[in-house]
Amino acid sequence: MSTSEKVAIVTGASRGIGAAIAKRLGRDGFTVVVNYAGSAEAAAAVVHEIEAAGGKAITAQADVSDVEQVKRMFTSAEAAFGGIDVLVNNAGIMMLAPLAATDDQNFSRQIDINLKGTFNTLREAATRLRSGGRIVNFSTTVVGLKLETYGVYAATKAAVETLTAIMAKEMRGRNINVNAIAPGPTATDLFLNGKSDELIERMSKVNPLERLGTPEDIADAVSFFVGPDSGWINGQVLRANGGVI
Ligand code: NDP
């Protein structure tokens, strides 16, 4: 897929991995829709950085768990740029607790944003992405590692992996590839907040490359999935984690 004139929506692109993806896709030549939930200033800064590098981007506020807000985002992107070619379903939250201590609010929020949010955007993309389009969903390496306290979070992401494989088949005849990336520990607020320096150090040494992933490491993988060299890769999950599992 040539990136000239191609339009990419990146959810959760105000911070962390999503911001790195938006900037990378901007450099790759995509027009980028920088979605965010609450961080308007950070999202605007991502857009400015893309524009300063010669790219094209707009911000789009939408809580991915809200059906109407997601529909509005797709409609605005189509109105602004004439169509949508790429959806990167990066927005997500992580709330860790043992199952016995997980309250209903914790469960519902993670389901609403990680699973329903992904479903909401996939449902729009299924009918609205142009032929030749690409979808990249976000799982986690914890689906494989199955660490204590990650139960509900990992369950939402396991469901995303299942949606990925099934949607890839449902896109038969549309020429749209659907894949997922399952990062390992990556240096963002989501991973770092609430962890001691010792725990971060320990977790960063589990993989044989002995460092944390960077948002740019993950953006590189997304760039491949939405670029011209991955046309034969469809319905797959890539664990981008330095080899931890
Ligand atoms: P961050 O917490 O750093 O950033 C999360 C981003 O998602 C922000 O831009 C935030 O927007 C946005 N967001 C949160 N809730 C919503 C919502 N309801 N609607 C729209 N946007 C929302 O997370 P990461 O960058 O670390 O994570 C990105 C993805 O990667 C997630 O799906 C996560 O599960 C996955 N992942 C991360 C790993 C890690 O170690 N960091 C490992 C494995 C997977 P705002 O700023 O407006 O709140």
Side-chain angles (χ1 to χ4, degrees), residues 163-181:
L163 289 178
T164 301
I166 291 175
M167 186 167 177
K169 292 179 179 168
E170 291 181 355
M171 289 299 96
R172 180 182 293 274
R174 298 277 320 282
N175 191 23
I176 289 173
N177 295 19
V178 189
N179 293 293
I181 292 184

Side-chain angles (χ1 to χ4, degrees), residues 11-12 35-39 60-74 89 91-93 108-109 111-114 116-118 120-121:
T11 68
N35 163 255
Y36 66 98
S39 303
Q61 195 284 330
D63 178 340
V64 293
S65 70
D66 184 306
V67 175
E68 292 310 318
Q69 292 184 28
V70 166
K71 282 188 178 155
R72 199 183 331 128
M73 173 171 68
F74 273 74
N89 259 325
I93 60 166
S108 298
R109 255 183 82 66
I111 293 283
D112 283 352
I113 295 174
N114 296 354
K116 179 96 182 351
T118 299
N120 286 340
T121 55

Side-chain angles (χ1 to χ4, degrees), residues 11-18 35-40 62-65 89-93 113-114 138-141 153 157 182-191:
T11 68
S14 50
R15 297 182 285 116
I17 293 170
N35 163 255
Y36 66 98
S39 303
D63 178 340
V64 293
S65 70
N89 259 325
N90 162 83
I93 60 166
I113 295 174
N114 296 354
F138 265 72
S139 178
T140 169
T141 282
Y153 173 70
K157 297 296 193 173
T186 307
T188 69
D189 293 345
L190 179 142
F191 172 75

Side-chain angles (χ1 to χ4, degrees), residues 7-11 33 35 58 60-62 64 66-89 117-130 134-135 167:
V7 178
I9 294 178
V10 183
T11 68
V33 178
N35 163 255
I58 56 166
Q61 195 284 330
V64 293
D66 184 306
V67 175
E68 292 310 318
Q69 292 184 28
V70 166
K71 282 188 178 155
R72 199 183 331 128
M73 173 171 68
F74 273 74
T75 301
S76 310
E78 284 171 339
F81 304 120
I84 302 158
D85 304 283
V86 165
L87 168 66
V88 182
N89 259 325
T118 299
F119 162 75
N120 286 340
T121 55
L122 289 180
R123 184 168 54 182
E124 293 308 308
T127 55
R128 299 171 81 155
L129 248 57
R130 292 191 282 219
R134 302 283 173 79
I135 296 173
M167 186 167 177

